[in-house]
Amino acid sequence: MTVTDPVPDALTQGWYVLSLLHGRIEGCLEGQLRTHHGLSVRDYSLLDVLSRQHDGEGGHLQVRQIADIVVLSQSATSRLVTRLEDRGLLERYLCPTDRRGIYTDVTEAGWKLLEEARATYNAALHVAMKEAARDPELALLVRVVENLQGGRSQCSATRTQPL
């Protein structure tokens, strides 16, 4: 930045800090998940979201719904589902009430890998947040994130919990 560059406003600076924190955490998670489980952060996120499906009304998600949750385009989500399906971690099936709808579910192998990866993910997340808290630029945001949802962990392996 030079003397003539405008100073970013508070919103721009806040977005920068949020992006920086996200990038650092995602990089840490990506490295640990790939090294220990052969999963990307997106792979893990998709398995995690699908593991939270339940058998009640609205409990299973179509690919278009998953795309919104994992923040990918529908085509990128479809490719991700295909990759994980090819690895035997997911399976697709037709909606029993609407034959046009396609659902995706975690296979037994996917559940096993997710359970193994969940501990790695949680440990890496805690380490990344602790490291980020040491950075004065990120410390306040780390505290805010840690206090979201009253500090309760959102990780759960039960299939009966609605999204």
Side-chain angles (χ1 to χ4, degrees):
M1 189 166 1
T2 66
V3 175
T4 58
D5 288 339
V7 176
D9 63 16
L11 182 61
T12 301
Q13 185 62 23
W15 177 245
Y16 165 75
V17 173
L18 179 61
S19 296
L20 181 62
L21 179 61
H22 178 268
R24 285 189 186 179
I25 291 170
E26 188 168 55
C28 180
L29 294 171
E30 184 81 24
Q32 292 298 308
L33 289 170
R34 282 206 184 276
T35 298
H36 298 287
H37 307 286
L39 293 172
S40 70
V41 170
R42 297 286 189 199
D43 297 340
Y44 176 87
S45 295
L46 180 59
L47 288 170
D48 185 54
V49 164
L50 292 174
S51 77
R52 296 170 192 277
Q53 295 184 122
H54 57 90
D55 291 329
E57 188 168 330
H60 283 253
L61 303 169
Q62 294 183 11
V63 173
R64 64 180 170 73
Q65 295 169 300
I66 297 166
D68 291 337
I69 295 169
V70 296
V71 193
L72 289 173
S73 68
Q74 193 166 340
S75 62
T77 302
S78 184
R79 287 190 303 272
L80 178 58
V81 167
T82 298
R83 274 197 319 272
L84 294 178
E85 187 178 35
D86 290 347
R87 289 180 60 187
L89 303 175
L90 296 178
E91 59 189 356
R92 294 183 221 210
Y93 61 95
L94 291 175
C95 171
T97 58
D98 178 2
R99 304 292 288 176
R100 296 170 298 169
I102 298 175
Y103 289 135
T104 305
D105 207 358
V106 181
T107 63
E108 195 171 317
W111 275 98
K112 184 176 186 286
L113 183 58
L114 177 62
E115 287 306 309
E116 294 167 1
R118 190 168 272 138
T120 301
Y121 180 93
N122 289 336
L125 179 59
H126 286 281
V127 167
M129 291 294 278
K130 189 174 182 176
E131 288 175 6
R134 291 189 197 117
D135 183 332
E137 190 174 28
L138 300 175
L140 176 61
L141 185 56
V142 169
R143 285 193 303 275
V144 169
V145 170
E146 288 174 339
N147 289 314
L148 289 174
Q149 300 293 316
R152 293 179 309 202
S153 171
Q154 296 299 306
C155 294
S156 172
T158 61
R159 283 187 60 114
T160 57
Q161 178 183 2
L163 292 172

